[in-house]
Coordinates of all heavy atoms in Angstrom, one line a residue:
M139 N -37.7 -66.1 -7.1 CA -36.6 -66.4 -8.0 C -35.5 -65.4 -7.9 O -34.3 -65.7 -8.0 CB -37.1 -66.4 -9.5 CG -38.1 -67.5 -9.7 SD -37.6 -69.1 -9.3 CE -36.2 -69.4 -10.3
A140 N -35.8 -64.1 -7.6 CA -34.7 -63.1 -7.3 C -33.9 -63.5 -6.0 O -32.7 -63.4 -6.0 CB -35.3 -61.7 -7.1
A141 N -34.6 -64.0 -5.0 CA -33.9 -64.4 -3.7 C -33.1 -65.6 -4.0 O -32.0 -65.8 -3.5 CB -35.0 -64.6 -2.7
Q142 N -33.6 -66.6 -4.9 CA -32.8 -67.8 -5.2 C -31.5 -67.4 -5.9 O -30.4 -67.9 -5.6 CB -33.7 -68.7 -6.1 CG -32.9 -69.8 -6.8 CD -32.6 -70.9 -5.8 OE1 -32.7 -70.8 -4.6 NE2 -32.0 -71.9 -6.3
V143 N -31.6 -66.5 -6.9 CA -30.4 -66.0 -7.6 C -29.4 -65.3 -6.7 O -28.1 -65.5 -6.8 CB -30.8 -65.1 -8.9 CG1 -29.6 -64.5 -9.5 CG2 -31.6 -65.9 -9.9
F144 N -30.0 -64.5 -5.9 CA -29.1 -63.8 -4.9 C -28.4 -64.7 -4.0 O -27.1 -64.5 -3.7 CB -29.9 -62.7 -4.1 CG -29.0 -61.8 -3.3 CD1 -28.4 -60.8 -3.7 CD2 -29.0 -62.1 -1.8 CE1 -27.6 -60.0 -2.9 CE2 -28.3 -61.4 -1.0 CZ -27.6 -60.3 -1.5
A145 N -29.1 -65.7 -3.4 CA -28.5 -66.6 -2.5 C -27.5 -67.5 -3.2 O -26.5 -67.9 -2.6 CB -29.6 -67.4 -1.9
R146 N -27.7 -67.9 -4.4 CA -26.9 -68.7 -5.2 C -25.5 -68.1 -5.5 O -24.4 -68.7 -5.3 CB -27.5 -69.2 -6.5 CG -26.6 -70.1 -7.3 CD -27.3 -70.5 -8.6 NE -28.6 -71.2 -8.4 CZ -28.6 -72.5 -8.4 NH1 -27.5 -73.3 -8.4 NH2 -29.7 -73.2 -8.2
Y147 N -25.6 -66.8 -6.0 CA -24.3 -66.2 -6.5 C -23.6 -65.3 -5.5 O -22.5 -65.0 -5.6 CB -24.7 -65.4 -7.8 CG -25.0 -66.2 -8.9 CD1 -26.4 -66.4 -9.3 CD2 -24.0 -67.0 -9.7 CE1 -26.7 -67.2 -10.4 CE2 -24.4 -67.7 -10.7 CZ -25.7 -67.9 -11.1 OH -26.0 -68.7 -12.2
V148 N -24.3 -65.0 -4.4 CA -23.7 -64.2 -3.3 C -23.2 -65.0 -2.2 O -22.1 -64.9 -1.8 CB -24.7 -63.0 -2.9 CG1 -24.1 -62.2 -1.7 CG2 -25.0 -62.1 -4.1
F149 N -24.2 -65.8 -1.6 CA -23.8 -66.6 -0.5 C -23.3 -68.0 -0.9 O -22.8 -68.7 0.0 CB -25.0 -66.8 0.4 CG -25.5 -65.4 1.0 CD1 -26.6 -64.8 0.5 CD2 -24.7 -64.7 1.9 CE1 -27.1 -63.7 1.0 CE2 -25.2 -63.6 2.5 CZ -26.3 -63.0 2.0
G150 N -23.5 -68.4 -2.1 CA -23.1 -69.7 -2.5 C -24.0 -70.8 -1.9 O -23.5 -72.0 -2.0
A151 N -25.1 -70.5 -1.4 CA -26.0 -71.6 -0.8 C -27.4 -71.3 -1.2 O -28.1 -70.5 -0.5 CB -25.8 -71.5 0.8
P152 N -27.9 -71.8 -2.3 CA -29.2 -71.5 -2.8 C -30.3 -72.2 -1.9 O -30.0 -73.2 -1.2 CB -29.3 -72.2 -4.2 CG -28.2 -73.2 -4.1 CD -27.1 -72.7 -3.2
F153 N -31.5 -71.6 -1.9 CA -32.6 -72.2 -1.1 C -33.1 -73.4 -1.7 O -33.1 -73.5 -2.9 CB -33.7 -71.1 -1.0 CG -33.3 -69.9 -0.3 CD1 -33.3 -68.7 -1.0 CD2 -32.8 -69.8 1.0 CE1 -33.0 -67.4 -0.4 CE2 -32.4 -68.6 1.6 CZ -32.5 -67.5 0.8
Q154 N -33.5 -74.3 -1.0 CA -33.9 -75.6 -1.5 C -35.4 -75.5 -1.8 O -35.9 -76.4 -2.5 CB -33.7 -76.8 -0.5 CG -32.3 -77.0 -0.3 CD -32.0 -78.2 0.8 OE1 -33.0 -78.7 1.3 NE2 -30.8 -78.6 0.9
W155 N -36.1 -74.6 -1.2 CA -37.6 -74.5 -1.3 C -38.0 -73.4 -2.4 O -39.2 -73.4 -2.7 CB -38.2 -74.1 0.0 CG -37.5 -73.0 0.7 CD1 -36.5 -73.0 1.6 CD2 -37.7 -71.6 0.4 NE1 -36.1 -71.8 1.9 CE2 -36.9 -70.9 1.3 CE3 -38.6 -70.8 -0.4 CZ2 -36.8 -69.5 1.3 CZ3 -38.6 -69.5 -0.4 CH2 -37.7 -68.8 0.5
S156 N -37.1 -72.6 -2.9 CA -37.5 -71.5 -3.7 C -38.2 -71.9 -5.1 O -39.2 -71.4 -5.5 CB -36.3 -70.6 -4.0 OG -35.3 -71.4 -4.7
E157 N -37.5 -72.9 -5.7 CA -38.1 -73.4 -7.0 C -39.5 -74.0 -6.8 O -40.4 -73.9 -7.7 CB -37.1 -74.4 -7.7 CG -35.8 -73.8 -8.1 CD -34.9 -74.8 -8.7 OE1 -35.3 -76.0 -9.0 OE2 -33.8 -74.4 -9.1
E158 N -39.6 -74.7 -5.7 CA -40.9 -75.3 -5.5 C -42.0 -74.3 -5.2 O -43.1 -74.4 -5.6 CB -40.9 -76.3 -4.3 CG -41.8 -77.5 -4.4 CD -41.4 -78.5 -3.4 OE1 -40.6 -79.4 -3.8 OE2 -42.0 -78.6 -2.3
V159 N -41.7 -73.2 -4.5 CA -42.6 -72.1 -4.3 C -43.0 -71.4 -5.5 O -44.1 -71.1 -5.8 CB -42.0 -71.1 -3.2 CG1 -42.9 -69.9 -3.1 CG2 -42.0 -71.8 -1.8
A160 N -42.0 -71.1 -6.4 CA -42.2 -70.5 -7.6 C -43.1 -71.4 -8.6 O -44.0 -70.9 -9.3 CB -40.9 -70.1 -8.3
R161 N -42.9 -72.7 -8.5 CA -43.7 -73.5 -9.3 C -45.1 -73.6 -8.9 O -46.0 -73.6 -9.7 CB -43.1 -75.0 -9.3 CG -43.5 -75.9 -10.5 CD -43.0 -77.2 -10.4 NE -41.5 -77.2 -10.4 CZ -40.7 -77.7 -9.4 NH1 -41.3 -78.1 -8.3 NH2 -39.4 -77.5 -9.5
L162 N -45.3 -73.7 -7.6 CA -46.6 -73.7 -7.0 C -47.4 -72.4 -7.4 O -48.5 -72.4 -7.8 CB -46.6 -74.0 -5.5 CG -47.9 -74.1 -4.8 CD1 -48.8 -75.1 -5.4 CD2 -47.7 -74.2 -3.3
A163 N -46.7 -71.3 -7.2 CA -47.3 -70.0 -7.5 C -47.6 -69.9 -9.0 O -48.6 -69.2 -9.4 CB -46.4 -68.8 -7.1
L164 N -46.8 -70.4 -9.8 CA -47.0 -70.3 -11.3 C -48.3 -71.1 -11.7 O -49.0 -70.7 -12.5 CB -45.8 -70.9 -12.0 CG -45.9 -71.0 -13.6 CD1 -46.2 -69.6 -14.2 CD2 -44.6 -71.6 -14.2
I165 N -48.4 -72.3 -11.1 CA -49.6 -73.1 -11.4 C -50.9 -72.4 -11.0 O -51.9 -72.3 -11.8 CB -49.5 -74.5 -10.7 CG1 -48.3 -75.2 -11.2 CG2 -50.8 -75.2 -10.8 CD1 -48.0 -76.5 -10.5
W166 N -50.9 -71.8 -9.8 CA -52.1 -71.1 -9.4 C -52.3 -69.8 -10.1 O -53.5 -69.5 -10.5 CB -51.9 -70.8 -7.8 CG -52.3 -71.9 -7.0 CD1 -51.5 -72.9 -6.5 CD2 -53.7 -72.2 -6.5 NE1 -52.2 -73.8 -5.6 CE2 -53.6 -73.3 -5.6 CE3 -54.9 -71.5 -6.6 CZ2 -54.7 -73.8 -5.0 CZ3 -56.0 -72.1 -6.0 CH2 -55.9 -73.3 -5.3
M167 N -51.3 -69.1 -10.5 CA -51.4 -68.0 -11.3 C -52.0 -68.3 -12.7 O -52.9 -67.5 -13.2 CB -50.1 -67.2 -11.4 CG -50.2 -65.9 -12.2 SD -48.6 -65.2 -12.7 CE -48.1 -66.3 -13.9
T168 N -51.6 -69.4 -13.2 CA -52.0 -69.8 -14.6 C -53.5 -70.1 -14.6 O -54.3 -69.5 -15.5 CB -51.3 -71.0 -15.1 OG1 -49.9 -70.7 -15.1 CG2 -51.7 -71.4 -16.4
F169 N -54.0 -70.8 -13.6 CA -55.4 -71.2 -13.7 C -56.4 -70.0 -13.2 O -57.4 -69.9 -13.7 CB -55.7 -72.4 -12.8 CG -55.3 -73.7 -13.4 CD1 -54.0 -74.3 -13.1 CD2 -56.0 -74.3 -14.4 CE1 -53.6 -75.4 -13.7 CE2 -55.7 -75.5 -15.0 CZ -54.4 -76.0 -14.7
I170 N -55.9 -69.2 -12.3 CA -56.6 -68.0 -11.9 C -56.7 -67.0 -13.0 O -57.8 -66.4 -13.3 CB -56.0 -67.3 -10.6 CG1 -56.1 -68.3 -9.4 CG2 -56.7 -66.0 -10.3 CD1 -57.5 -68.6 -9.0
S171 N -55.6 -66.9 -13.8 CA -55.6 -66.0 -14.9 C -56.5 -66.5 -16.0 O -57.2 -65.7 -16.7 CB -54.2 -65.8 -15.5 OG -53.4 -65.3 -14.4
A172 N -56.6 -67.8 -16.2 CA -57.5 -68.3 -17.2 C -59.0 -68.0 -16.9 O -59.8 -67.9 -17.8 CB -57.3 -69.9 -17.3
A173 N -59.3 -67.9 -15.6 CA -60.6 -67.6 -15.2 C -61.1 -66.2 -15.6 O -62.1 -66.0 -16.3 CB -60.8 -67.8 -13.7
F174 N -60.3 -65.1 -15.3 CA -60.7 -63.8 -15.6 C -60.5 -63.5 -17.2 O -61.1 -62.7 -17.7 CB -59.9 -62.7 -14.8 CG -58.5 -62.5 -15.0 CD1 -58.0 -61.8 -16.1 CD2 -57.6 -63.0 -14.1 CE1 -56.7 -61.7 -16.4 CE2 -56.2 -62.8 -14.3 CZ -55.8 -62.1 -15.4
V175 N -59.6 -64.3 -17.8 CA -59.5 -64.2 -19.3 C -60.8 -64.7 -19.9 O -61.3 -64.2 -20.9 CB -58.2 -64.9 -19.8 CG1 -58.3 -65.0 -21.3 CG2 -57.0 -64.1 -19.4
M176 N -61.3 -65.7 -19.3 CA -62.6 -66.3 -19.7 C -63.7 -65.3 -19.5 O -64.6 -65.2 -20.4 CB -62.9 -67.6 -19.0 CG -64.3 -68.3 -19.3 SD -64.3 -68.9 -20.9 CE -66.1 -69.1 -21.2
A177 N -63.7 -64.6 -18.4 CA -64.8 -63.6 -18.2 C -64.7 -62.5 -19.1 O -65.7 -61.9 -19.6 CB -64.6 -63.0 -16.8
E178 N -63.5 -62.0 -19.6 CA -63.3 -61.0 -20.6 C -63.3 -61.5 -22.0 O -63.2 -60.7 -22.9 CB -62.0 -60.2 -20.3 CG -62.0 -59.6 -18.9 CD -60.6 -58.9 -18.6 OE1 -59.7 -59.2 -19.4 OE2 -60.5 -58.1 -17.7
R179 N -63.5 -62.8 -22.1 CA -63.6 -63.4 -23.5 C -62.4 -63.1 -24.4 O -62.5 -62.6 -25.5 CB -64.9 -63.0 -24.2 CG -66.1 -63.3 -23.5 CD -67.4 -63.1 -24.2 NE -67.5 -61.8 -24.7 CZ -67.8 -61.4 -25.9 NH1 -67.9 -62.2 -26.8 NH2 -67.9 -60.1 -26.2
R180 N -61.2 -63.3 -23.8 CA -60.0 -63.0 -24.5 C -59.2 -64.3 -24.7 O -58.0 -64.2 -25.1 CB -59.2 -62.0 -23.7 CG -59.9 -60.7 -23.4 CD -59.0 -59.7 -22.6 NE -57.8 -59.3 -23.3 CZ -56.9 -58.5 -22.9 NH1 -57.1 -57.9 -21.7 NH2 -55.8 -58.1 -23.7
H181 N -59.8 -65.4 -24.6 CA -59.1 -66.7 -25.0 C -59.1 -66.7 -26.5 O -59.8 -66.1 -27.2 CB -59.8 -67.9 -24.5 CG -59.6 -68.2 -23.1 ND1 -58.4 -68.6 -22.6 CD2 -60.4 -68.0 -21.9 CE1 -58.5 -68.8 -21.3 NE2 -59.6 -68.5 -20.9
I182 N -58.0 -67.4 -27.0 CA -57.8 -67.5 -28.4 C -59.0 -68.3 -29.0 O -59.3 -69.4 -28.5 CB -56.4 -68.2 -28.7 CG1 -55.3 -67.3 -28.2 CG2 -56.3 -68.4 -30.3 CD1 -53.9 -68.0 -28.4
A183 N -59.5 -67.7 -30.1 CA -60.7 -68.4 -30.7 C -60.5 -68.3 -32.2 O -60.0 -67.2 -32.6 CB -62.0 -67.8 -30.2

């Protein structure tokens, strides 16, 4: 996302793939984080 903002406002040509990469990484981070939160029993209950 930092590279996307830099390319958009400095070069005026944003990357077409940056939002998709960030979205894919966000999905994986969410479910991986849910796993170790489950191990530590820190889910809301």
Side-chain angles (χ1 to χ4, degrees):
M139 297 309 297
Q142 168 74 354
V143 172
F144 184 80
R146 178 186 296 272
Y147 291 100
V148 175
F149 300 106
F153 302 117
Q154 297 180 356
W155 47 266
S156 59
E157 294 183 2
E158 211 166 275
V159 170
R161 194 181 305 117
L162 180 60
L164 177 62
I165 295 172
W166 276 91
M167 184 192 70
T168 301
F169 284 99
I170 296 297
S171 300
F174 69 78
V175 170
M176 177 68 196
E178 296 177 349
R179 300 189 303 129
R180 299 182 65 179
H181 281 290
I182 298 175

